Structures are given as C-alpha cells and as structure tokens.
Amino acid sequence: MTVNTAALTRGPTTGGISLAGLTKSFGDVHAVRGVDIEIAPGETVALLGPNGAGKSTTIDMMLGLLPPDSGSVTLFGRSARDAVAAGTVGAMLQSGGLIAFLTVRELITMMASLYPNPLPVAEVLAVTGITEIAGQRTDKLSGGQTQRVRAALALVTNPELLVLDEPTVAMDVEGRHQFWTFMRNVASSGKTVVFATHYLEEADSYADRIILMARGRVVADGPTTEIKATVGLKTIRATLPQADLPALRALPGVSLAESRGEAIVLTCSDSDQAIRALLSNYAQARDVEISGAGLEEAFLALTGDPAAHPGQTERDHTEHAHTGVDQ
Ligand SMILES: Nc1ncnc2c1ncn2[C@@H]1O[C@H](COP(=O)(O)OP(=O)(O)OP(=O)(O)O)[C@@H](O)[C@H]1O
Ligand SMILES: [Mg+2]
C-alpha cells in the first residue's frame, strides 16, 4: 500500500501530483478534512466514495477552481493554476453544461484552438464515439451524448493529466464500456488519469490504484488488487428475531449490523471472532451462514456512517495519515 504520511508529501515535487494537507469547509460542512495524496505520472487512479465524501471538492481544489482552506496542490512541479494555464490539465467536471448554439464539432474545434498542442479534432470525435453527432447542436443532445462531448473537450486539449468527475454517470452500459476502452488507451499513452466514481466495478476494472474517500478523508489508498483484498470482508447471516442491532454492532469483529425481517446480516472485519461472539451471546441464533461479502458490502462497512460503528470513531488528521485502510 502507498505510504501516505503528511511528512512525505510536504516537500516540493516535480514529478506528479501532490495534494498535501488539503482541507475545505463550506460553513459548518467540513467537506475535506485533511487529504494527502501523491500520484505518479502515468498512474490511473480512482477516487471512490459515497455521496458527499469530498471527491468533487478535492478535484476542484486539484484543478485550482476552489482555494483550499489549508494545504497545497502541486501538479507537475507547478501550482494548479499555472498547470491549468499551461494546458497540462484537462478536466471533465461533475456539473456544467455545454456552450449552446454551436455544433459539437464547432465546440470541440474552438476548444482545441485555445490550447498549444491539441489533438486532431477528427481523432477525438472518433475515439469518444461522437463522429455521428458532430453536426448536431450541443443543446440538442441526450445525457450520455453530452457526457461524451464533455469527455472530448477534456481530451482534445491533449493534457498530461486528465481529471474526470464521475464521467460515465449518464451513459448506458455500452457507452460506459466504449468510454473506458478509450480511456484505457489514453492511460496507456502515458497520461495520468484521475477519476471519481461511485462504482466499485469501474474503479476495479479501470484504475491501477483506488483511493477510498469517506467524510472528507482518505480511508484507504493502495493498488486496486490490495484494496480489493483488504475489503474482502465476510458476512454472517442468522435468524435472530428482535435483534438489538447496536449490541450486535458492538460485538468483536463486526463492522456493520443490519436486520432483514427476522434475519440479521453482520458484515465482519474478523468473521471467526464475530461468529464466536455471536453464538456465545445469542444462543438462540439459528440458520447461521458465513459468506464472502460483496465489494459493495465491504465498501459500506469501510465508509459507513461512524455512528453506525461504535468501534470506529472519527479520527483526526494525523491518526488517519498512515498506510492503508482505517480499520
Ligand atoms: N459549494 C458548496 N457549498 C456548500 N456545501 C458544499 C459545496 N460543495 C460541496 N459541499 C458539501 O461538501 C460535502 C462534500 O461534497 P462533494 O461534492 O465534494 O462530495 P462528492 O464526494 O463529490 O459527492 P458525490 O458523490 O455526491 O458527487 C457535501 O456534504 C456537500 O454537501
Ligand atoms: Mg462529486
């Protein structure tokens, strides 16, 4: 796993991307609470996390669109603003429309003309799958088509770093597949790609590395395979009417307890410990089953609300800034 200490990220960097000690609040909302991320050139990194985790806020600070309350951003040895001004960064943000009354081709050509080393417009139209709609007006597109045009706008500038905030949200399955196939080509040409997503499958399939965010912090950071292994949690199911969920959650080895009718489902960080504790405390438990948890359950256990995890308290920045997963 990537060592993610504040001490290592403070120094000047020339190579890749360095986010050091970033924080950002909006009034009472602590959107980002101390994020340290180092990304090497050529990496494809997924920022994974639930709604409100702070992904977009982090991305906006990375792009110099939002000033951090504290901390710093360095992109290829420059400040975010300088890197963006130099055309080093292409972004596809979560919100924002397209300039209306232009055709798709006109809009992309216009964007290309603003940058020093753009890619050929025809090539970009082809790889993003929008050649057929190039003559259509930008205000007459479907949601998925709009997303592709936005991706093309980011790509045509031929950036070193591509930042994509939930790029496939409005796309259908086919569109997603095409989009990621094309992004894989972009990444293999040596560009650095950072994308935010809610989808574990997307992060798993397309990123070299997953940075898991929750409640404004990084809760896990490492190679995709390691994150998957780390979150390879187990689930215990049992029939236990009128279960006391807070008490079940407090059992050793249990990270999440839910009820489904008369049954309970425990997501476990240590299922051996949990099953012993369950059976010794609840002799009436029946139909007990243990299975490997899906990634979704593991994800929920890792990023769920701290109030749902008596064993997992809010950690301050220095405590969190260590290797790997916070559990
Ligand atoms: N401009 C803003 N004003 C006030 N609060 C904001 C603003 N932008 C973000 N927030 C709050 O900051 C927190 C983090 O939001 P952010 O958009 O970074 O999350 P996210 O991880 O991108 O979520 P999503 O997956 O829904 O896109 C949320 O609680 C959000 O409501
Ligand atoms: Mg977002």
Side-chain angles (χ1 to χ4, degrees):
M1 294 231 171
T2 307
V3 176
N4 195 9
T5 62
L8 284 178
T9 58
R10 301 261 180 228
T13 343
T14 49
I17 295 157
S18 173
L19 310 184
L22 283 186
T23 66
K24 184 74 191 176
S25 295
F26 300 101
D28 294 341
V29 180
H30 302 296
V32 171
R33 307 176 184 220
V35 160
D36 297 288
I37 297 173
E38 290 279 329
I39 297 172
E43 268 192 293
T44 299
V45 177
L47 271 185
L48 184 65
N51 289 131
K55 304 180 298 295
S56 295
T57 306
T58 301
I59 282 178
D60 289 353
M61 290 191 282
M62 188 191 284
L63 296 170
L65 296 171
L66 196 64
D69 293 341
S70 63
S72 63
V73 175
T74 313
L75 305 180
F76 308 107
R78 309 181 207 225
S79 72
R81 274 175 181 277
D82 289 351
V84 170
T88 322
V89 185
M92 180 175 169
L93 298 178
Q94 194 166 12
S95 52
L98 300 173
I99 299 175
F101 307 114
L102 291 176
T103 67
V104 168
R105 183 183 283 106
E106 284 166 347
L107 178 63
I108 292 168
T109 305
M110 185 179 90
M111 187 65 144
S113 72
L114 300 173
Y115 284 80
N117 304 303
L119 292 176
V121 171
E123 189 182 305
V124 172
L125 291 172
V127 291
T128 49
I130 55 175
T131 306
E132 281 171 25
I133 58 162
Q136 232 162 289
R137 265 175 50 176
T138 52
D139 48 338
K140 307 279 186 218
L141 303 175
S142 75
Q145 290 169 339
T146 304
Q147 287 293 87
R148 286 167 186 240
V149 173
R150 295 174 68 220
L153 287 170
L155 189 71
V156 77
T157 66
N158 195 16
E160 282 309 301
L161 167 65
L162 257 175
V163 181
L164 312 158
D165 197 350
E166 303 198 28
T168 59
V169 153
M171 293 182 197
D172 56 21
V173 174
E174 170 70 14
R176 269 172 204 223
H177 179 72
Q178 275 183 10
F179 178 82
W180 286 113
T181 304
F182 131 73
M183 283 312 300
R184 242 202 301 244
N185 292 335
V186 170
S188 67
S189 69
K191 295 195 190 300
T192 312
V193 179
V194 177
F195 67 93
T197 182
H198 292 136
Y199 303 108
L200 279 160
E201 304 76 30
E202 230 170 56
D204 181 23
S205 306
Y206 303 107
D208 311 323
R209 173 174 160 201
I210 293 177
I211 297 177
L212 198 58
M213 285 192 75
R215 301 182 302 279
R217 296 204 173 99
V218 173
V219 293
D221 178 355
T224 302
T225 45
E226 284 187 25
I227 295 290
K228 266 180 72 185
T230 313
V231 298
L233 303 176
K234 296 233 164 90
T235 307
I236 299 175
R237 283 162 216 273
T239 306
L240 188 62
Q242 278 134 38
D244 175 359
L245 291 178
L248 287 167
R249 278 185 207 123
L251 293 175
V254 173
S255 47
L256 192 68
E258 297 162 286
S259 64
R260 311 252 166 94
E262 298 218 315
I264 52 151
V265 180
L266 307 178
T267 306
C268 306
S269 52
D270 182 340
S271 58
D272 294 337
Q273 225 186 2
I275 191 99
R276 276 195 287 271
L278 177 71
L279 295 176
S280 64
N281 286 286
Y282 300 90
Q284 72 275 32
R286 291 178 286 115
D287 311 323
V288 181
E289 287 173 27
I290 304 187
S291 56
L295 275 174
E296 287 297 340
E297 281 154 307
F299 179 55
L300 195 64
L302 276 169
T303 63
D305 180 40
H309 302 253
Q312 184 191 339
T313 51
E314 280 286 356
R315 290 150 201 260
D316 71 24
H317 170 52
T318 36
E319 270 179 294
H320 120 80
H322 68 108
T323 306
V325 176
D326 254 12
Q327 289 222 143

